[in-house]
């Protein structure tokens, strides 16, 4: 323990990911930055070529040290090389608490536990349900692989020091006494609307996120060809999952009405939403999506624009309770097009939907509330080190007393 004449030490937290990039909203903008503001010494080990340095030193952003590794393409290279490199780089950071974000890092997490480290597993997706929908896995192999994944996560939940679950459905699969439900709600303060054009002048139909087939990539482009209002233009941002999908999208008659911006940073997302009249959050009706709580849904609401989303129970409940958008059959381009056209035909009602959605995020779906739960988990995990507890320096953060 430090004596009264020496400055107290800070808990060293090392976040590990083998798949995400450094501008990931949940990992960097919310969790790492929030922990740094709360007084933790935070590093993020991540495969992101944009942050590689000649001397191997970390790049510091928002009081977080980004330790970049070479990003390898392909699943095999990631599993065989990236995961072990991430864990090794994390160990060199000499962390007190390790917080990892990908199921493929579970073996590394077990090694860290054997070395006496405190380890937190952040479960972003319902992995067993997700595996059942992955078309690149032979259909006959999906159930046994999903069962194996569930067993491995069962072991992780009982071995790790703590678990962070992104949805209530995920949280139910892990030990209650170790698990914090930290939902991926919007970082409300990001979406201020500064400089955005008046709502009635906006022509954008927004989609920001990973662009893949089961998120209705082709269907939403097809829908644009059916939208009667010539002002409507899709503003599309994110990485397209495969080159074959990109060819299918470009072959759609709606592609000339798409403005593809590629990967954009957080400021780029805010700009895109500020130009948009409506945001799309569309999904195929598979079990992993039916239970999902997509962050883009909350971000559209935080930006003050109405949403068009899937007619799933959670999504419909959100839309009907807060009257902030429309639900559609996501596999029907005609239904998607009709909903988009309604937003252009009824600008005053659409703008009111956007206002109600923003108020709902402010009151109920704001990341600040979830951050408090994350801090409570850290307060339970970190005290074993007998060092300064960040709860002592959290006063005033995000408007909390």
């Amino acid at each position: 323990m430090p004596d009264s004449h020496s400055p107290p030490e800070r808990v060293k937290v090392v976040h590990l990911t083998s798949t995400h990039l450094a501008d990931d909203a949940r990992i960097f903008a919310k969790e790492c930055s929030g922990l740094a503001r709360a007084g933790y010494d935070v590093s993020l080990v991540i495969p992101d070529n944009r942050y590689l340095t000649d001397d191997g030193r970390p790049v510091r952003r928002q009081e977080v040290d980004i330790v970049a590794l070479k990003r390898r393409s392909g699943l095999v290279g990631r599993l065989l090389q990236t995961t072990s490199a991430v864990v090794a780089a994390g160990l060199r950071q000499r962390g007190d608490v390790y917080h990892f974000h990908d199921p493929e890092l579970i073996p590394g997490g077990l090694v860290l536990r054997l070395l006496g480290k405190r380890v937190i597993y952040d479960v972003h997706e319902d992995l067993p349900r997700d595996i059942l929908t992955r078309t690149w896995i032979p259909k006959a192999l999906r159930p046994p692989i999903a069962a194996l994944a569930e067993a491995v996560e069962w072991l992780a939940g009982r071995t790790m020091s703590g678990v962070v679950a992104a949805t209530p459905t995920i949280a139910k699969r892990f030990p209650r006494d170790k698990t914090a439900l930290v939902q991926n709600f919007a970082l409300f303060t990001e979406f201020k609307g500064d400089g955005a054009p008046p709502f009635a002048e906006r022509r954008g139909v927004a989609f920001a996120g990973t662009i893949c087939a089961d998120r209705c990539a082709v269907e939403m482009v097809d829908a644009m060809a059916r939208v009667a209002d010539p002002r409507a233009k899709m503003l599309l941002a994110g990485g397209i999952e495969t080159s074959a999908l990109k060819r299918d999208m470009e072959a759609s008659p709606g592609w000339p009405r798409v403005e593809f911006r590629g990967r954009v940073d957080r400021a780029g997302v805010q700009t895109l939403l500020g130009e948009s009249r409506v945001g799309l959050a569309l999904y195929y009706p598979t079990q992993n999506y039916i239970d999902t709580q997509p962050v883009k849904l909350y971000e559209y609401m935080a930006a003050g624009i109405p949403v068009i989303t899937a007619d799933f129970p959670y999504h419909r409940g959100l839309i009907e309770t807060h009257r902030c958008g429309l639900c559609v059959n996501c596999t029907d381009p005609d239904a998607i097009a009709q909903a988009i056209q309604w937003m252009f035909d009824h600008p005053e009602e659409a703008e009111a939907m956007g206002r109600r959605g923003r108020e709902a995020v402010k009151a109920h779906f704001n990341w600040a509330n979830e951050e408090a739960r994350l801090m409570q988990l850290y307060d339970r995990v970190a005290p074993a080190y007998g060092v300064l507890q960040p709860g002592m320096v959290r006063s005033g953060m995000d408007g909390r007393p």
Side-chain angles (χ1 to χ4, degrees), residues 3 138 193 205 282 389:
D3 61 39
V205 177
L282 308 176
Q389 290 314 299

Side-chain angles (χ1 to χ4, degrees), residues 10 13 15 25-42 61-64 187 367-368 370-372 374-375 378 390-391 393-394 397-398 400:
R10 294 198 299 164
V13 176
H15 279 248
R26 179 177 175 89
I27 296 175
F28 180 81
K30 296 174 184 175
E31 294 186 349
C32 289
S33 296
L35 287 164
R37 290 195 306 272
Y40 289 95
D41 181 4
V42 183
R61 283 182 55 203
Q62 298 180 27
E63 302 303 313
V64 176
L187 194 59
W367 171 254
E370 305 309 300
E371 186 176 275
L374 180 67
M375 298 303 168
Y378 268 80
V393 297
R394 214 180 299 147
M397 188 176 67
D398 286 335
R400 296 194 301 276

Side-chain angles (χ1 to χ4, degrees), residues 84-105:
S84 57
V86 165
V87 174
L91 276 170
R92 290 194 292 272
Q93 295 298 305
R94 299 186 178 183
D96 299 315
V97 179
Y98 286 85
H99 185 145
F100 69 95
H101 295 267
D102 308 290
E104 61 204 46
L105 289 172

